[in-house]
Amino acid sequence: MKITRITVFQLDLPLFEPYYLSGGRLRFDRLDSTFVRLETDEGVTGWGEGCPWGHTYLPAHGPGIRAAIETLAAALIGCDPRSPEQINRVMDVTLPGHPYAKSPIDMACWDILGQVSGLPLWQLLGGETPAPVLVNSSISTGTPEDMLALIERAAQKGYTVHSAKVGGTDIGLDIDRIEAISGGLPKGHKVTFDVNRAWQPAAAIEVLNSVQARDWVEQPCETLDQCAHVADRVRNPIMLDECMHTFGDHLEAWKRGACEGVKVKPNRVGGLTKARQIRDFGVSIGWQMHIEDVGGSALADTAAIHLASSTPEANRLASWLCHYHLDVDPVPGQGARNASGQAVPTSAPGLGVTPDPQALGAPVAVYEG
Ligand code: MG
């Protein structure tokens, strides 16, 4: 089987309401998503999506995905999409780095492999059953009272696991937020305090040694070095996210004892192939993982839920779904959706999601042999 055509679509995904991270210093209104359709000489078609969370969250850029695919296309035409590992080697030789730009190609190859083998991705990725995955709520930065009200609203929708965004210049306010939320959670609920790298190491150590809360704290500082320094000096379990780009970063974090868990995001690390390698490493060393994508429609969310569902329950925490923040749905009603705080992957062969052609509009690029 050979890839014969690569068709690229661009779609703006407006958020329902502006979203603030990192103590309010980062604001997001809309996401720039790229959809990729791979066609083959045997008539099988696969879909992928790559969608950075704006261009200030990670070193990833919406238009960069399209530019990278322009560079990669000639090397991909003629390759067998049923061999995602080999496809990744071809992409890494043709364009080193730029993992986020390769993710939609890799995802579309997995979609084709699933369709050809007649198996859903959750099974190809190692799952025995389509296990339901807990869905994380996402609580935007605000006053302690506002954030607790958002958690209460999420709880009424069935969420039991929450990601509360903290991290500002006012350390006292962060201490208040953490204590109020940790102490005010509905019974049995769990929270992760996501700092989104806002603190300097000294602030992280001061805040975390001041609070009684012993909940997870995510990405307290910018770099792996800084986070490892903090992890050594606080009692909260640390989750790492934005500073983890390669398998080597994860290996380094493990060697240094920098975290007890990681966020595994296919778009950030280069696609399902590399996310699976990291997931399997995490299982082997006993990390707990949130497996979700950086952003995107229910297509990208569903790919991540396939990987999450196929992960042993002991190593799997909850997954966030980006598409619940969007004002558009280019894959109407399809894929893994939130049902009372849980999402179940589709059991159709492959990814199980096909975009609505009307929603995507005309392609922005077509590459063929
Ligand atoms: Mg995070």
Side-chain angles (χ1 to χ4, degrees):
M1 178 182 285
K2 290 181 169 54
I3 297 172
T4 53
R5 185 181 294 131
I6 303 170
T7 307
V8 181
F9 303 84
Q10 189 277 333
L11 193 64
D12 274 345
L13 305 177
L15 304 183
F16 268 125
E17 53 192 24
Y19 193 90
Y20 296 91
L21 285 181
S22 205
R25 77 189 169 106
L26 302 179
R27 174 190 162 117
F28 304 89
D29 297 291
R30 63 180 51 237
L31 308 178
D32 176 346
S33 189
T34 300
F35 289 79
V36 175
R37 184 177 67 209
L38 292 188
E39 292 170 70
T40 63
D41 59 350
E42 296 185 20
V44 184
T45 295
W47 283 94
E49 180 184 10
C51 184
W53 182 259
H55 58 268
T56 53
Y57 174 63
L58 287 171
H61 184 218
I65 295 180
R66 276 121 35 210
I69 292 173
E70 183 179 1
T71 300
L72 293 167
L76 290 168
I77 300 287
C79 290
D80 190 332
R82 297 170 303 179
S83 304
E85 307 269 359
Q86 175 61 12
I87 291 280
N88 274 268
R89 285 190 279 271
V90 168
M91 292 198 287
D92 286 344
V93 166
T94 309
L95 181 69
H98 305 272
Y100 70 100
K102 298 166 181 168
S103 181
I105 299 282
D106 175 81
M107 194 185 293
C109 290
W110 278 97
D111 188 20
I112 289 171
L113 176 60
Q115 291 177 55
V116 170
S117 61
L119 296 174
L121 290 195
W122 57 260
Q123 196 155 22
L124 283 178
L125 293 166
E128 188 182 13
T129 60
V133 175
L134 285 175
V135 178
N136 226 25
S137 81
S138 188
I139 307 299
S140 193
T141 307
T143 65
E145 298 73 28
D146 289 345
M147 293 178 78
L148 269 175
L150 289 173
I151 286 174
E152 186 54 42
R153 198 164 11 137
Q156 285 167 6
K157 293 180 186 164
Y159 292 93
T160 58
V161 186
H162 311 279
S163 174
K165 307 300 179 182
V166 299
T169 50
D170 184 340
I171 287 175
L173 181 55
D174 272 334
I175 291 171
D176 290 347
R177 287 179 178 125
I178 291 171
E179 294 293 55
I181 291 169
S182 185
L185 277 182
K187 195 169 171 47
H189 286 219
K190 292 185 177 164
V191 65
T192 295
F193 293 103
D194 192 355
V195 189
N196 292 110
R197 64 191 194 271
W199 290 332
Q200 299 299 313
I205 292 165
E206 183 176 343
V207 171
L208 297 179
N209 285 325
S210 298
V211 296
Q212 297 293 316
R214 289 290 171 263
D215 310 280
W216 284 91
V217 172
E218 185 172 323
Q219 195 71 39
C221 305
E222 185 82 36
T223 68
L224 177 55
D225 283 340
Q226 293 169 336
C227 291
H229 179 87
V230 170
D232 214 22
R233 291 163 175 79
V234 302
R235 285 173 290 176
N236 300 71
I238 300 290
M239 171 86 42
L240 291 181
D241 185 353
E242 290 102 308
C243 68
M244 309 292 268
H245 301 280
T246 64
F247 186 90
D249 292 334
H250 293 76
L251 186 60
E252 183 68 14
W254 165 244
K255 284 181 182 169
R256 297 177 62 173
C259 62
E260 284 71 40
V262 293
K263 289 274 179 96
V264 181
K265 297 183 176 177
N267 190 262
R268 193 187 63 230
V269 301
L272 286 171
T273 301
K274 289 178 178 173
R276 182 185 60 162
Q277 293 165 354
I278 290 164
R279 185 276 311 267
D280 289 346
F281 174 68
V283 170
S284 73
I285 60 172
W287 272 344
Q288 291 192 287
M289 294 171 276
H290 289 268
I291 301 176
E292 61 199 34
D293 217 340
V294 176
S297 74
L299 193 149
D301 281 343
T302 299
I305 292 293
H306 278 295
L307 184 63
S309 173
S310 70
T311 301
E313 196 171 359
N315 303 99
R316 166 175 29 97
L317 296 170
S319 301
W320 168 75
L321 295 174
C322 179
H323 73 269
Y324 274 88
H325 294 263
L326 305 179
D327 207 14
V328 292
D329 186 0
V331 293
Q334 300 176 60
R337 304 274 167 160
N338 182 16
S340 299
Q342 295 194 325
V344 178
T346 51
S347 283
L351 189 57
V353 178
T354 306
D356 172 10
Q358 300 291 328
L360 295 189
V364 294
V366 180
Y367 305 99
E368 44 199 341

